[in-house]
Amino acid sequence: MQLANDPAGILARLAELRAADAPTHGGHVLSYVYDSGLAELDELAAAAIRAVQPVNGLDPTTFTSVAVMEGEVVGFARDLLGGDSDVVGSVTTGGTESCLLAVKTARDLWNASSASATGRPRLLAPVTVHAAFQKAAHYFGLELDLVPVGQDGRVDAATIISRLGPDVALVVVSAPSYPHAALDPIAKVAAAAQAAGIPCHVDACIGGWVLPFWTGLPAWDFRVPGVTSVSADLHKFGYAPKGVSVLLQRGRDRQRAQFFATTRWPGYPVVNPTMLGSKSAGALAAGWAITHALGRDGLAALAQSCERATSALIDVIGSIEGLRVVGDPVGPLIAVATDATAEASAQVDPHHWADQVRAHGWLLQLQPGLAQSDGTVLPHTTHLTITPVTEGVLPELSAALVTAADEVRGIPAVSPADVLGALPAGFALPSGPIDSETALAILAGIGLVSTESGGLPDRMAPFLALVSALPAPLTERLLTELIARVVEPR
Ligand SMILES: *Cc1c(COP(=O)(O)O)cnc(C)c1O
C-alpha cells in the first residue's frame, strides 16, 4: 500500500519539533533530565528499545524476555538497596506509579486488617513528600496527614512519630525529599512504625540509584529495620530513558497485595502487578541494558561526579551574597532561598535569580513557598538537580549563577499584592467551581494563555507569585486549563 505521508518527511518534521525542546543533554537544564554524559549509554538504550519494540510487557510468560529482564533489574536494585532474599519487587513505568502502588498495597492490607474498623485509612508523611503521594491519597481514598517541617526542610522525628496510630495505613519518608534534598529521619520513624505494626515506605525515587554511593550517610534503605518498601527511579539517576522505576517490597505476602487479578470476565485471566495492562517493554529493556553496562562501579563513578559538582555548587551559591542553600542537602539536589539575614538591598530573590540565570542559558526550577498547617511558612526556592554532566560545565554554570545574582540583587520578590493588583480592573475572583471558558478568560486576563508555541513565559517569577497568591483550588483549576489547552489540536 501507499503511505499517506513519506516517513522521511515525518521524521524531518519531528526533528524540527525536537529542535524547539529544551536541551536534554549538556547540563543546561537542571531538572527533569538526567544526562550521564555517556553517548554510548544512549545508543545502547535506543538499541534495547528497538529490540523489544513489538513486545507486550503484559505477559511475561508469553514474552519471557520481560521476565528475565525484570528479575535482573529487581535483583540489581535489591542488592544496591540492602535487601535480602525476602525483598521482591516490580518494574513500573515511573516514580509516580511506584509511589501509587506502595500506597495501594498498604491501603489494601490495612482494609483487610482489624484496624479498618477505625474508619478511613490515613497516609502520614512530612509535607515535603513528593506530590505523587497526594495523588495516591486522592486516587485511593486515604486521608492525607502532612507533617510540617522546619525551615531547613527537615521533619522532626518525634513529631511524625507522635502522629502514628491504628488508622495509619502507611508512613512515608524520603531519601531525599525533592524540594530541599532533606534525608528524613528514616531509622527513627521506621523503628517506631515497626513497633506500632505500621508499614514504612522510603521514597528513594530520586536518591535510590545515587545515594548508595554518597559519602557519610546513615543507613536509609532496607538495612533499616521497619522499612517495608522502597521506590527508586531508573529514569533518574539510573540514566534510563523515561518510563522505568522499581518498587521493592519486603515480604512476598506484602507484595502480593500490590497485584490486581481477576478471572471474572469472559476474556483472558488478568494478573497485573502494576497499574497498566498492555505495556511497552522498551524502558525496561533500556534500564536493564544500562544497569548491565554500568554495573555498580559505573554508577559509583557517576555518583562521585555528581557529589563533587554538588559540593562545588553549594560552595558557589553559599558565597553569593543574598542567597543561601536551604538546609544541608543530601544527594545531588540543591534548594536555594533568599538569605533573609542580609540587608534588603543585598538580598537576592531566588525566582528573579532563576529567571535571570535562564536569560544566560541555564534552566533552573522555581518552587513556590508553602504555608504549613502549623502556621509557619516555607520560603519560595529555586531547585537545581545536579547530574554527571554538571561537573564538565561547572565554570560556565557558576559564572552564570554569580552574574545573574549580581544583576537582580536588591530587586524585591514579586508580592501577592503585585500580581493581584495586575489583574484586569473589575476582575472578580470566582469563589466556586468554574468552567473551561471562564478559566480560559481568566488566564487571558492575567496574560498567561500561551499563544502559539505552548512554551513558558520568559519570566516565571510573576507566575509563581500568582500560584501562591490565589487560593489553591483556583490555581489548580487554572493550571489544569493551561495544560489542557496546550495539547488541544490547533
Ligand atoms: C521524581 C520523584 C517522584 C515521582 O517520580 P516520576 O518519575 O516523576 O513519576 C517521586 N518521589 C520523588 C522524591 C521524586 O524525586
Side-chain angles (χ1 to χ4, degrees):
M1 69 168 262
Q2 182 79 27
L3 296 176
N5 286 291
D6 168 36
I10 296 168
L11 290 175
R13 168 124 197 276
L14 179 56
E16 213 175 276
L17 295 174
R18 284 284 290 114
D21 281 339
T24 55
H25 288 81
H28 278 251
V29 176
L30 288 107
S31 61
Y32 301 123
V33 289
Y34 301 79
D35 184 2
S36 68
L38 303 172
E40 71 241 73
L41 280 194
D42 291 343
E43 291 307 316
L44 174 65
I49 289 171
R50 187 157 195 126
V52 298
Q53 184 168 296
V55 164
N56 190 345
L58 170 67
D59 184 356
T61 64
T62 302
F63 302 103
T64 53
S65 64
V66 172
V68 174
M69 289 188 292
E70 182 159 0
E72 291 184 12
V73 168
V74 167
F76 191 99
R78 172 169 82 182
D79 290 347
L80 195 62
L81 300 174
D84 58 20
S85 59
D86 196 31
V87 170
V88 289
S90 301
V91 170
T92 71
T93 56
T96 297
E97 192 183 15
S98 292
C99 297
L100 289 174
L101 286 170
V103 174
K104 189 213 86 90
T105 301
R107 184 210 54 182
D108 285 359
L109 289 170
W110 187 88
N111 277 341
S113 76
S114 56
S116 61
T118 58
R120 193 162 169 234
R122 179 157 54 102
L123 180 61
L124 176 65
V127 73
T128 47
V129 78
H130 194 276
F133 290 93
Q134 297 192 19
K135 188 177 188 177
H138 180 73
Y139 277 12
F140 301 132
L142 290 88
E143 191 189 318
L144 191 60
D145 186 6
L146 296 179
V147 180
V149 300
Q151 289 295 310
D152 56 359
R154 293 166 65 99
V155 73
D156 172 48
T159 308
I160 188 163
I161 288 168
S162 73
R163 279 154 83 153
L164 292 170
D167 61 328
V168 174
L170 185 68
V171 58
V172 182
V173 278
S174 301
S177 71
Y178 185 87
H180 309 111
L183 183 66
D184 286 335
I186 292 166
K188 285 182 180 162
V189 172
Q194 187 177 34
I198 296 166
C200 175
H201 179 78
V202 174
D203 180 14
C205 276
I206 201 156
W209 294 86
V210 65
L211 292 196
F213 311 105
W214 217 254
T215 46
L217 301 188
W220 55 270
D221 54 14
F222 283 108
R223 275 164 275 249
V224 176
V227 168
T228 51
S229 54
V230 177
S231 48
D233 292 352
L234 273 157
H235 66 200
K236 287 180 181 157
F237 288 96
Y239 313 105
K242 291 294 178 263
V244 58
S245 168
V246 290
L247 172 62
L248 301 180
Q249 306 238 31
R250 199 194 301 268
R252 286 177 178 75
D253 291 328
R254 165 174 308 287
Q255 197 236 10
R256 301 319 186 230
Q258 177 191 313
F259 283 59
F260 176 82
T262 185
T263 52
R264 291 171 240 183
W265 76 308
Y268 58 89
V270 167
V271 186
N272 294 158
T274 62
M275 314 262 296
L276 299 184
S278 289
K279 60 185 178 187
S280 167
L284 163 64
W288 170 84
I290 288 173
T291 56
H292 277 291
L294 285 176
R296 267 185 110 95
D297 291 349
L299 283 169
L302 294 173
Q304 281 147 16
S305 170
C306 292
E307 185 163 1
R308 287 190 298 268
T310 303
S311 81
L313 284 173
I314 288 173
D315 289 347
V316 167
I317 295 164
S319 70
I320 296 176
E321 188 185 16
L323 286 177
R324 70 183 168 92
V325 170
V326 177
D328 192 7
V330 173
L333 333 171
I334 303 174
V336 183
T338 300
D339 176 6
T341 65
E343 302 255 345
S345 63
Q347 290 182 11
V348 175
D349 174 67
H351 287 180
H352 288 321
W353 177 63
D355 281 340
Q356 197 61 29
V357 170
R358 183 172 168 206
H360 288 280
W362 305 82
L363 210 57
L364 313 183
Q365 193 174 52
L366 291 76
Q367 303 187 128
L370 183 76
Q372 305 192 89
S373 59
D374 64 355
T376 60
V377 176
L378 298 175
H380 63 289
T381 57
T382 286
H383 172 107
L384 291 79
T385 295
I386 290 86
T387 62
V389 290
T390 310
E391 200 175 20
V393 296
L394 265 179
E396 301 93 306
L397 173 59
S398 303
L401 299 181
V402 169
T403 306
D406 290 342
E407 289 163 348
V408 300
R409 185 167 291 109
I411 302 178
V414 182
S415 75
D418 293 337
V419 281
L420 295 176
L423 293 175
F427 178 84
L429 285 181
S431 52
I434 53 174
D435 64 18
S436 298
E437 290 311 311
T438 309
L440 182 66
I442 297 175
L443 287 168
I446 57 189
L448 268 181
V449 180
S450 51
T451 46
E452 285 310 296
S453 69
L456 297 175
D458 281 345
R459 296 271 154 185
M460 290 294 287
F463 181 77
L464 265 284
L466 192 70
V467 166
S468 310
L470 298 178
L474 177 59
T475 321
E476 287 155 4
R477 180 64 186 85
L478 293 177
L479 293 179
T480 297
E481 196 61 34
L482 187 69
I483 299 301
R485 298 271 174 181
V486 163
V487 300
E488 273 193 22
R490 288 170 214 207

